[in-house]
Amino acid sequence: RGGLSLAERLLPPLRRLPVRWRMALRSIGRNPRRVLSTVIGVVLALVLILSFWVMIDSATLLIHRQYHDIERQDAQLVFRRPLTPRELDRIRRVPGVARVEPAAEIPVSLRANGRRYQTALIALQPHTQMHGFYLQGGGGTQLPAAALLAGSFVRSRLDLRDGQPLTVSEPQTGARLRVPVAGFLDEPVGSYVYASLDAVRALAGGRLGAGNSAFVTYAPGADPERMRRLLSAAPGVAAFVDSQALLEYVNEYLGLYYLMIGLMVIFGGAMAFALLYNVIQSNLAERGVEVATLRAAGMPFGALARMITVENVLVASLGIVPGWLLAYELARLFMGQFSTDWFSFGVVARPASFVISALAILAVALLSELPGLRAVRRLDVAAVVRERSA
């Protein structure tokens, strides 16, 4: 039976639309099975495409965040012995060096709630510009004067809470400190604890000096290869860590991951097209008598094609939001399989990926109806009417 559609009941101004548009709206609710099959097809198509695309987004954005927003230095110099202020000043005077900050990296053992975890304690200046600290849940912070900042994996491994004391011991000296944890960091790479240099000197037993390493940033236009040669030759430097080279190594390590996920996006797109094509073609085939009746009643092909297109686009749109949600959850599940204590891959997606995926699904829906519309144009109206009257 005919009647107002749900959309017309919710939005009364829709009742003033032309008849063919109201027919498209009412046709959506007239055959729930057909609508449900199309919506499920759209949801599955989005899952096939978007879940893997979000995984590529996540890896790309998280690596960029780690090596641009969190680790801001161009190079790290590791010294054979504790760094002195004189050596630090000598590094500062190297042509092409814009900024130098002392740092220290100490292997430590962490204890809390009857659990133990071994990692590295990174000591930096209180207002360092070489490292960004981003808390879980959002927001940035600075190094506290007498507390620690810990990575998210440390929190889960030791079952820690904000402000809870943590026992930090240094194996070489046997020094032990009990320090509260001021916050937990969201860092894709590493599971370290961080503190200020002043707070860590007591743990190092007087052997730390100004630190055991230095973070360096280059002046604009400095040649990285030349800077590597100059800084590596500085007295006392035992190792030179190039941040850009490290980033390239990480990207090379993830190359197979990108290749695998990229192939899955391609295959997912092909399967999504086939899925939507079959669903829409089946729906058009089921409506052969209805379409012929409208043609016999005098509806022009152009108006009929627009009505069918509007209906297909509206039905496909119903599956976009559920498809987004399911694809996001599936991507989160997949990314969790790649996470370890040193790599924490959460889900970070570009908004453009959701928009593009929705537009792609609508484009596929439009392309999928073209063969059916050609069949409608060639339809023998007289034969269909005779079959129905018989």
Side-chain angles (χ1 to χ4, degrees):
R1 296 186 305 171
L4 294 177
S5 65
L6 178 62
E8 290 174 281
R9 292 191 184 97
L10 297 177
L11 300 172
L14 295 178
R15 302 173 189 176
R16 296 193 292 270
L17 289 174
V19 173
R20 59 180 178 273
W21 305 130
R22 280 183 284 159
M23 289 177 64
L25 287 175
R26 296 178 184 184
S27 180
I28 293 175
R30 187 163 52 89
N31 192 328
R33 186 184 64 180
R34 184 171 64 227
V35 172
L36 182 62
S37 66
T38 306
V39 170
I40 292 175
V42 170
V43 170
L44 294 178
L46 270 174
V47 168
L48 289 171
I49 297 173
L50 186 59
S51 58
F52 297 118
W53 194 261
V54 168
M55 292 174 68
I56 293 178
D57 276 354
S58 298
T60 303
L61 293 173
L62 290 172
I63 293 301
H64 180 275
R65 181 181 185 185
Q66 178 70 33
Y67 292 102
H68 289 85
D69 299 334
I70 296 177
E71 297 185 15
R72 302 169 181 173
Q73 74 275 8
D74 291 312
Q76 180 183 5
L77 307 179
V78 180
F79 290 82
R80 299 185 182 92
R81 56 185 179 276
L83 182 63
T84 65
R86 183 178 179 181
E87 290 173 324
L88 193 65
D89 189 60
R90 187 182 297 119
I91 297 297
R92 190 176 288 113
R93 290 198 301 267
V94 172
V97 171
R99 184 178 178 84
V100 180
E101 288 186 9
E105 183 172 340
I106 304 172
V108 294
S109 177
L110 309 177
R111 291 178 181 272
N113 301 317
R115 303 181 182 183
R116 178 180 176 183
Y117 182 66
Q118 292 181 329
T119 184
L121 172 62
I122 309 297
L124 301 166
Q125 289 184 333
H127 299 286
T128 178
Q129 297 181 22
M130 300 291 182
H131 197 98
F133 299 99
Y134 297 91
L135 297 171
Q136 284 186 311
T141 186
Q142 296 289 336
L143 279 175
L148 297 176
L149 295 175
S152 58
F153 185 82
V154 175
R155 177 182 194 175
S156 60
R157 186 65 178 266
L158 299 180
D159 193 23
L160 294 170
R161 299 181 303 275
D162 286 338
Q164 180 178 352
L166 177 66
T167 301
V168 182
S169 57
E170 206 272 323
Q172 294 184 4
T173 63
R176 180 176 298 181
L177 294 176
R178 191 164 176 81
V179 189
V181 180
F184 299 97
L185 302 175
D186 183 10
E187 294 188 347
V189 179
S191 55
Y192 304 110
V193 288
Y194 299 88
S196 67
L197 276 167
D198 293 337
V200 172
R201 286 192 176 95
L203 184 66
R207 299 180 296 104
L208 188 60
N212 57 22
S213 65
F215 289 129
V216 179
T217 55
Y218 303 153
D223 179 23
E225 183 60 27
R226 174 178 171 273
M227 297 304 300
R228 184 189 66 82
R229 291 195 303 268
L230 291 175
L231 294 174
S232 298
V237 174
F240 176 91
V241 181
D242 189 331
S243 297
Q244 184 60 37
L246 183 59
L247 175 58
E248 292 174 359
Y249 174 78
V250 171
N251 285 329
E252 182 180 351
Y253 174 79
L254 291 173
L256 182 61
Y257 168 85
Y258 288 130
L259 176 62
M260 180 186 68
I261 300 301
L263 290 175
M264 296 180 79
V265 169
I266 294 173
F267 288 133
M271 293 176 64
F273 179 84
L275 181 65
L276 279 180
Y277 178 85
N278 288 326
V279 168
I280 291 177
Q281 288 301 306
S282 299
N283 290 342
L284 285 174
E286 289 179 2
R287 302 177 63 183
V289 174
E290 173 191 341
V291 169
T293 303
L294 292 174
R295 290 295 307 278
M299 178 175 283
F301 171 75
L304 181 60
R306 287 192 294 272
M307 186 183 73
I308 293 174
T309 299
V310 168
E311 181 181 343
N312 284 334
V313 169
L314 289 176
V315 173
S317 300
L318 295 176
I320 288 177
V321 173
W324 280 347
L325 297 176
L326 187 57
Y328 185 88
E329 286 301 314
L330 191 61
R332 188 175 63 84
L333 177 63
F334 285 162
M335 292 299 291
Q337 305 304 311
F338 292 94
S339 296
T340 65
D341 56 340
W342 288 103
F343 292 95
S344 177
F345 284 141
V347 176
V348 183
R350 294 183 177 94
S353 297
F354 290 88
V355 176
I356 292 173
S357 65
L359 294 177
I361 289 297
L362 296 179
V364 169
L366 293 175
L367 290 174
S368 299
E369 72 176 14
L370 291 180
L373 292 178
R374 284 198 299 268
V376 170
R377 182 187 289 274
R378 296 193 299 266
L379 189 66
D380 187 344
V381 177
V384 174
V385 171
R386 284 196 302 271
E387 291 175 5
R388 186 177 184 184
S389 62

PDB file of all heavy atoms in Angstrom, residues 106-133:
ATOM      1  N   ILE A 106      70.055   5.942  30.718  1.00  0.00           N
ATOM      2  CA  ILE A 106      70.535   5.019  31.737  1.00  0.00           C
ATOM      3  C   ILE A 106      69.636   3.785  31.757  1.00  0.00           C
ATOM      4  O   ILE A 106      68.407   3.913  31.863  1.00  0.00           O
ATOM      5  CB  ILE A 106      70.521   5.680  33.132  1.00  0.00           C
ATOM      6  CG1 ILE A 106      71.341   6.974  33.117  1.00  0.00           C
ATOM      7  CG2 ILE A 106      71.033   4.731  34.198  1.00  0.00           C
ATOM      8  CD1 ILE A 106      71.210   7.771  34.389  1.00  0.00           C
ATOM      9  N   PRO A 107      70.203   2.587  31.669  1.00  0.00           N
ATOM     10  CA  PRO A 107      69.382   1.382  31.816  1.00  0.00           C
ATOM     11  C   PRO A 107      68.902   1.242  33.256  1.00  0.00           C
ATOM     12  O   PRO A 107      69.700   1.373  34.197  1.00  0.00           O
ATOM     13  CB  PRO A 107      70.335   0.245  31.421  1.00  0.00           C
ATOM     14  CG  PRO A 107      71.707   0.802  31.635  1.00  0.00           C
ATOM     15  CD  PRO A 107      71.618   2.268  31.383  1.00  0.00           C
ATOM     16  N   VAL A 108      67.630   1.017  33.440  1.00  0.00           N
ATOM     17  CA  VAL A 108      67.060   0.946  34.789  1.00  0.00           C
ATOM     18  C   VAL A 108      66.103  -0.231  34.874  1.00  0.00           C
ATOM     19  O   VAL A 108      65.648  -0.779  33.865  1.00  0.00           O
ATOM     20  CB  VAL A 108      66.309   2.249  35.159  1.00  0.00           C
ATOM     21  CG1 VAL A 108      67.266   3.418  35.270  1.00  0.00           C
ATOM     22  CG2 VAL A 108      65.197   2.534  34.158  1.00  0.00           C
ATOM     23  N   SER A 109      65.787  -0.579  36.100  1.00  0.00           N
ATOM     24  CA  SER A 109      64.785  -1.593  36.391  1.00  0.00           C
ATOM     25  C   SER A 109      63.661  -0.916  37.181  1.00  0.00           C
ATOM     26  O   SER A 109      63.918  -0.216  38.171  1.00  0.00           O
ATOM     27  CB  SER A 109      65.392  -2.738  37.202  1.00  0.00           C
ATOM     28  OG  SER A 109      64.403  -3.684  37.536  1.00  0.00           O
ATOM     29  N   LEU A 110      62.446  -1.100  36.746  1.00  0.00           N
ATOM     30  CA  LEU A 110      61.279  -0.475  37.374  1.00  0.00           C
ATOM     31  C   LEU A 110      60.496  -1.532  38.140  1.00  0.00           C
ATOM     32  O   LEU A 110      60.291  -2.647  37.647  1.00  0.00           O
ATOM     33  CB  LEU A 110      60.382   0.168  36.312  1.00  0.00           C
ATOM     34  CG  LEU A 110      61.059   1.110  35.308  1.00  0.00           C
ATOM     35  CD1 LEU A 110      60.053   1.607  34.284  1.00  0.00           C
ATOM     36  CD2 LEU A 110      61.724   2.289  36.028  1.00  0.00           C
ATOM     37  N   ARG A 111      60.044  -1.153  39.332  1.00  0.00           N
ATOM     38  CA  ARG A 111      59.257  -2.071  40.162  1.00  0.00           C
ATOM     39  C   ARG A 111      58.029  -1.348  40.712  1.00  0.00           C
ATOM     40  O   ARG A 111      58.140  -0.223  41.198  1.00  0.00           O
ATOM     41  CB  ARG A 111      60.083  -2.609  41.338  1.00  0.00           C
ATOM     42  CG  ARG A 111      61.211  -3.557  40.938  1.00  0.00           C
ATOM     43  CD  ARG A 111      61.996  -4.003  42.161  1.00  0.00           C
ATOM     44  NE  ARG A 111      63.091  -4.888  41.820  1.00  0.00           N
ATOM     45  CZ  ARG A 111      62.984  -6.212  41.719  1.00  0.00           C
ATOM     46  NH1 ARG A 111      61.819  -6.793  41.964  1.00  0.00           N
ATOM     47  NH2 ARG A 111      64.030  -6.952  41.397  1.00  0.00           N
ATOM     48  N   ALA A 112      56.895  -2.033  40.634  1.00  0.00           N
ATOM     49  CA  ALA A 112      55.659  -1.507  41.224  1.00  0.00           C
ATOM     50  C   ALA A 112      54.619  -2.614  41.222  1.00  0.00           C
ATOM     51  O   ALA A 112      54.558  -3.425  40.284  1.00  0.00           O
ATOM     52  CB  ALA A 112      55.146  -0.300  40.442  1.00  0.00           C
ATOM     53  N   ASN A 113      53.804  -2.659  42.264  1.00  0.00           N
ATOM     54  CA  ASN A 113      52.699  -3.625  42.369  1.00  0.00           C
ATOM     55  C   ASN A 113      53.176  -5.070  42.184  1.00  0.00           C
ATOM     56  O   ASN A 113      52.480  -5.909  41.593  1.00  0.00           O
ATOM     57  CB  ASN A 113      51.614  -3.305  41.334  1.00  0.00           C
ATOM     58  CG  ASN A 113      51.039  -1.922  41.509  1.00  0.00           C
ATOM     59  OD1 ASN A 113      50.768  -1.488  42.634  1.00  0.00           O
ATOM     60  ND2 ASN A 113      50.855  -1.206  40.407  1.00  0.00           N
ATOM     61  N   GLY A 114      54.395  -5.372  42.688  1.00  0.00           N
ATOM     62  CA  GLY A 114      54.915  -6.724  42.591  1.00  0.00           C
ATOM     63  C   GLY A 114      55.383  -7.111  41.200  1.00  0.00           C
ATOM     64  O   GLY A 114      55.664  -8.284  40.946  1.00  0.00           O
ATOM     65  N   ARG A 115      55.474  -6.154  40.295  1.00  0.00           N
ATOM     66  CA  ARG A 115      55.908  -6.426  38.924  1.00  0.00           C
ATOM     67  C   ARG A 115      57.216  -5.702  38.639  1.00  0.00           C
ATOM     68  O   ARG A 115      57.568  -4.731  39.306  1.00  0.00           O
ATOM     69  CB  ARG A 115      54.842  -5.992  37.923  1.00  0.00           C
ATOM     70  CG  ARG A 115      53.480  -6.657  38.142  1.00  0.00           C
ATOM     71  CD  ARG A 115      52.468  -6.202  37.113  1.00  0.00           C
ATOM     72  NE  ARG A 115      51.156  -6.784  37.323  1.00  0.00           N
ATOM     73  CZ  ARG A 115      50.115  -6.591  36.535  1.00  0.00           C
ATOM     74  NH1 ARG A 115      50.247  -5.809  35.456  1.00  0.00           N
ATOM     75  NH2 ARG A 115      48.953  -7.156  36.790  1.00  0.00           N
ATOM     76  N   ARG A 116      57.897  -6.174  37.595  1.00  0.00           N
ATOM     77  CA  ARG A 116      59.196  -5.594  37.254  1.00  0.00           C
ATOM     78  C   ARG A 116      59.289  -5.428  35.739  1.00  0.00           C
ATOM     79  O   ARG A 116      58.791  -6.258  34.977  1.00  0.00           O
ATOM     80  CB  ARG A 116      60.312  -6.516  37.754  1.00  0.00           C
ATOM     81  CG  ARG A 116      61.725  -6.043  37.405  1.00  0.00           C
ATOM     82  CD  ARG A 116      62.740  -7.029  37.936  1.00  0.00           C
ATOM     83  NE  ARG A 116      64.091  -6.661  37.540  1.00  0.00           N
ATOM     84  CZ  ARG A 116      65.171  -7.366  37.820  1.00  0.00           C
ATOM     85  NH1 ARG A 116      65.055  -8.482  38.528  1.00  0.00           N
ATOM     86  NH2 ARG A 116      66.354  -6.979  37.417  1.00  0.00           N
ATOM     87  N   TYR A 117      59.957  -4.332  35.317  1.00  0.00           N
ATOM     88  CA  TYR A 117      60.139  -4.079  33.889  1.00  0.00           C
ATOM     89  C   TYR A 117      61.458  -3.340  33.689  1.00  0.00           C
ATOM     90  O   TYR A 117      61.758  -2.384  34.406  1.00  0.00           O
ATOM     91  CB  TYR A 117      58.981  -3.242  33.325  1.00  0.00           C
ATOM     92  CG  TYR A 117      59.091  -2.998  31.850  1.00  0.00           C
ATOM     93  CD1 TYR A 117      58.995  -4.040  30.934  1.00  0.00           C
ATOM     94  CD2 TYR A 117      59.288  -1.702  31.368  1.00  0.00           C
ATOM     95  CE1 TYR A 117      59.093  -3.807  29.577  1.00  0.00           C
ATOM     96  CE2 TYR A 117      59.390  -1.461  30.003  1.00  0.00           C
ATOM     97  CZ  TYR A 117      59.282  -2.525  29.106  1.00  0.00           C
ATOM     98  OH  TYR A 117      59.391  -2.300  27.758  1.00  0.00           O
ATOM     99  N   GLN A 118      62.241  -3.827  32.739  1.00  0.00           N
ATOM    100  CA  GLN A 118      63.530  -3.199  32.432  1.00  0.00           C
ATOM    101  C   GLN A 118      63.410  -2.354  31.173  1.00  0.00           C
ATOM    102  O   GLN A 118      62.901  -2.811  30.154  1.00  0.00           O
ATOM    103  CB  GLN A 118      64.608  -4.264  32.244  1.00  0.00           C
ATOM    104  CG  GLN A 118      64.954  -5.006  33.519  1.00  0.00           C
ATOM    105  CD  GLN A 118      66.046  -6.032  33.315  1.00  0.00           C
ATOM    106  OE1 GLN A 118      66.173  -6.602  32.240  1.00  0.00           O
ATOM    107  NE2 GLN A 118      66.846  -6.263  34.349  1.00  0.00           N
ATOM    108  N   THR A 119      63.920  -1.133  31.267  1.00  0.00           N
ATOM    109  CA  THR A 119      63.854  -0.213  30.142  1.00  0.00           C
ATOM    110  C   THR A 119      64.983   0.806  30.293  1.00  0.00           C
ATOM    111  O   THR A 119      65.946   0.571  31.041  1.00  0.00           O
ATOM    112  CB  THR A 119      62.481   0.470  30.073  1.00  0.00           C
ATOM    113  OG1 THR A 119      62.418   1.300  28.912  1.00  0.00           O
ATOM    114  CG2 THR A 119      62.193   1.297  31.307  1.00  0.00           C
ATOM    115  N   ALA A 120      64.869   1.927  29.624  1.00  0.00           N
ATOM    116  CA  ALA A 120      65.869   2.995  29.725  1.00  0.00           C
ATOM    117  C   ALA A 120      65.216   4.240  30.303  1.00  0.00           C
ATOM    118  O   ALA A 120      64.064   4.559  29.990  1.00  0.00           O
ATOM    119  CB  ALA A 120      66.471   3.300  28.359  1.00  0.00           C
ATOM    120  N   LEU A 121      65.959   4.917  31.144  1.00  0.00           N
ATOM    121  CA  LEU A 121      65.540   6.200  31.692  1.00  0.00           C
ATOM    122  C   LEU A 121      66.219   7.302  30.880  1.00  0.00           C
ATOM    123  O   LEU A 121      67.446   7.357  30.790  1.00  0.00           O
ATOM    124  CB  LEU A 121      65.929   6.305  33.164  1.00  0.00           C
ATOM    125  CG  LEU A 121      65.738   7.667  33.835  1.00  0.00           C
ATOM    126  CD1 LEU A 121      64.273   8.072  33.831  1.00  0.00           C
ATOM    127  CD2 LEU A 121      66.281   7.648  35.269  1.00  0.00           C
ATOM    128  N   ILE A 122      65.413   8.160  30.267  1.00  0.00           N
ATOM    129  CA  ILE A 122      65.924   9.265  29.458  1.00  0.00           C
ATOM    130  C   ILE A 122      65.834  10.538  30.292  1.00  0.00           C
ATOM    131  O   ILE A 122      64.745  10.912  30.746  1.00  0.00           O
ATOM    132  CB  ILE A 122      65.130   9.438  28.155  1.00  0.00           C
ATOM    133  CG1 ILE A 122      65.008   8.103  27.408  1.00  0.00           C
ATOM    134  CG2 ILE A 122      65.770  10.493  27.265  1.00  0.00           C
ATOM    135  CD1 ILE A 122      66.310   7.528  26.962  1.00  0.00           C
ATOM    136  N   ALA A 123      66.990  11.161  30.523  1.00  0.00           N
ATOM    137  CA  ALA A 123      67.046  12.395  31.310  1.00  0.00           C
ATOM    138  C   ALA A 123      67.316  13.568  30.370  1.00  0.00           C
ATOM    139  O   ALA A 123      68.251  13.533  29.568  1.00  0.00           O
ATOM    140  CB  ALA A 123      68.132  12.308  32.373  1.00  0.00           C
ATOM    141  N   LEU A 124      66.498  14.603  30.480  1.00  0.00           N
ATOM    142  CA  LEU A 124      66.600  15.768  29.612  1.00  0.00           C
ATOM    143  C   LEU A 124      66.508  17.036  30.445  1.00  0.00           C
ATOM    144  O   LEU A 124      66.178  17.000  31.644  1.00  0.00           O
ATOM    145  CB  LEU A 124      65.473  15.757  28.570  1.00  0.00           C
ATOM    146  CG  LEU A 124      65.419  14.543  27.637  1.00  0.00           C
ATOM    147  CD1 LEU A 124      64.081  14.492  26.913  1.00  0.00           C
ATOM    148  CD2 LEU A 124      66.559  14.593  26.640  1.00  0.00           C
ATOM    149  N   GLN A 125      66.790  18.161  29.812  1.00  0.00           N
ATOM    150  CA  GLN A 125      66.604  19.438  30.497  1.00  0.00           C
ATOM    151  C   GLN A 125      65.125  19.672  30.774  1.00  0.00           C
ATOM    152  O   GLN A 125      64.262  19.237  30.006  1.00  0.00           O
ATOM    153  CB  GLN A 125      67.173  20.573  29.641  1.00  0.00           C
ATOM    154  CG  GLN A 125      68.682  20.594  29.571  1.00  0.00           C
ATOM    155  CD  GLN A 125      69.214  21.782  28.793  1.00  0.00           C
ATOM    156  OE1 GLN A 125      68.542  22.317  27.917  1.00  0.00           O
ATOM    157  NE2 GLN A 125      70.422  22.205  29.124  1.00  0.00           N
ATOM    158  N   PRO A 126      64.789  20.371  31.851  1.00  0.00           N
ATOM    159  CA  PRO A 126      63.373  20.542  32.228  1.00  0.00           C
ATOM    160  C   PRO A 126      62.505  21.139  31.121  1.00  0.00           C
ATOM    161  O   PRO A 126      61.370  20.726  30.943  1.00  0.00           O
ATOM    162  CB  PRO A 126      63.449  21.459  33.456  1.00  0.00           C
ATOM    163  CG  PRO A 126      64.810  21.205  34.025  1.00  0.00           C
ATOM    164  CD  PRO A 126      65.700  20.931  32.856  1.00  0.00           C
ATOM    165  N   HIS A 127      63.031  22.127  30.396  1.00  0.00           N
ATOM    166  CA  HIS A 127      62.251  22.761  29.334  1.00  0.00           C
ATOM    167  C   HIS A 127      62.868  22.431  27.973  1.00  0.00           C
ATOM    168  O   HIS A 127      63.112  23.315  27.148  1.00  0.00           O
ATOM    169  CB  HIS A 127      62.180  24.269  29.555  1.00  0.00           C
ATOM    170  CG  HIS A 127      61.507  24.652  30.840  1.00  0.00           C
ATOM    171  ND1 HIS A 127      60.138  24.572  31.020  1.00  0.00           N
ATOM    172  CD2 HIS A 127      62.014  25.087  32.028  1.00  0.00           C
ATOM    173  CE1 HIS A 127      59.827  24.953  32.246  1.00  0.00           C
ATOM    174  NE2 HIS A 127      60.948  25.278  32.884  1.00  0.00           N
ATOM    175  N   THR A 128      63.109  21.167  27.745  1.00  0.00           N
ATOM    176  CA  THR A 128      63.763  20.739  26.520  1.00  0.00           C
ATOM    177  C   THR A 128      62.950  21.088  25.282  1.00  0.00           C
ATOM    178  O   THR A 128      61.716  21.050  25.294  1.00  0.00           O
ATOM    179  CB  THR A 128      64.019  19.219  26.548  1.00  0.00           C
ATOM    180  OG1 THR A 128      64.621  18.829  25.327  1.00  0.00           O
ATOM    181  CG2 THR A 128      62.719  18.452  26.731  1.00  0.00           C
ATOM    182  N   GLN A 129      63.670  21.428  24.223  1.00  0.00           N
ATOM    183  CA  GLN A 129      63.046  21.658  22.924  1.00  0.00           C
ATOM    184  C   GLN A 129      63.331  20.507  21.962  1.00  0.00           C
ATOM    185  O   GLN A 129      62.963  20.564  20.789  1.00  0.00           O
ATOM    186  CB  GLN A 129      63.555  22.977  22.326  1.00  0.00           C
ATOM    187  CG  GLN A 129      63.190  24.196  23.150  1.00  0.00           C
ATOM    188  CD  GLN A 129      63.676  25.487  22.518  1.00  0.00           C
ATOM    189  OE1 GLN A 129      63.921  25.552  21.307  1.00  0.00           O
ATOM    190  NE2 GLN A 129      63.815  26.518  23.323  1.00  0.00           N
ATOM    191  N   MET A 130      64.013  19.487  22.461  1.00  0.00           N
ATOM    192  CA  MET A 130      64.390  18.363  21.614  1.00  0.00           C
ATOM    193  C   MET A 130      63.396  17.210  21.675  1.00  0.00           C
ATOM    194  O   MET A 130      63.484  16.279  20.867  1.00  0.00           O
ATOM    195  CB  MET A 130      65.776  17.835  22.028  1.00  0.00           C
ATOM    196  CG  MET A 130      66.882  18.852  21.916  1.00  0.00           C
ATOM    197  SD  MET A 130      67.223  19.247  20.190  1.00  0.00           S
ATOM    198  CE  MET A 130      68.596  20.403  20.399  1.00  0.00           C
ATOM    199  N   HIS A 131      62.483  17.253  22.607  1.00  0.00           N
ATOM    200  CA  HIS A 131      61.554  16.139  22.787  1.00  0.00           C
ATOM    201  C   HIS A 131      60.194  16.689  23.185  1.00  0.00           C
ATOM    202  O   HIS A 131      60.087  17.521  24.091  1.00  0.00           O
ATOM    203  CB  HIS A 131      62.073  15.180  23.862  1.00  0.00           C
ATOM    204  CG  HIS A 131      61.422  13.831  23.824  1.00  0.00           C
ATOM    205  ND1 HIS A 131      62.006  12.741  23.212  1.00  0.00           N
ATOM    206  CD2 HIS A 131      60.236  13.403  24.304  1.00  0.00           C
ATOM    207  CE1 HIS A 131      61.219  11.691  23.333  1.00  0.00           C
ATOM    208  NE2 HIS A 131      60.132  12.073  23.997  1.00  0.00           N
ATOM    209  N   GLY A 132      59.164  16.230  22.472  1.00  0.00           N
ATOM    210  CA  GLY A 132      57.802  16.607  22.824  1.00  0.00           C
ATOM    211  C   GLY A 132      57.151  15.527  23.667  1.00  0.00           C
ATOM    212  O   GLY A 132      57.345  14.326  23.428  1.00  0.00           O
ATOM    213  N   PHE A 133      56.373  15.918  24.658  1.00  0.00           N
ATOM    214  CA  PHE A 133      55.715  14.972  25.558  1.00  0.00           C
ATOM    215  C   PHE A 133      54.201  15.120  25.399  1.00  0.00           C
ATOM    216  O   PHE A 133      53.639  16.182  25.687  1.00  0.00           O
ATOM    217  CB  PHE A 133      56.126  15.235  27.007  1.00  0.00           C
ATOM    218  CG  PHE A 133      57.605  15.067  27.252  1.00  0.00           C
ATOM    219  CD1 PHE A 133      58.442  16.168  27.296  1.00  0.00           C
ATOM    220  CD2 PHE A 133      58.153  13.806  27.407  1.00  0.00           C
ATOM    221  CE1 PHE A 133      59.800  16.025  27.507  1.00  0.00           C
ATOM    222  CE2 PHE A 133      59.513  13.648  27.622  1.00  0.00           C
ATOM    223  CZ  PHE A 133      60.340  14.752  27.667  1.00  0.00           C
TER     224      PHE A 133
END
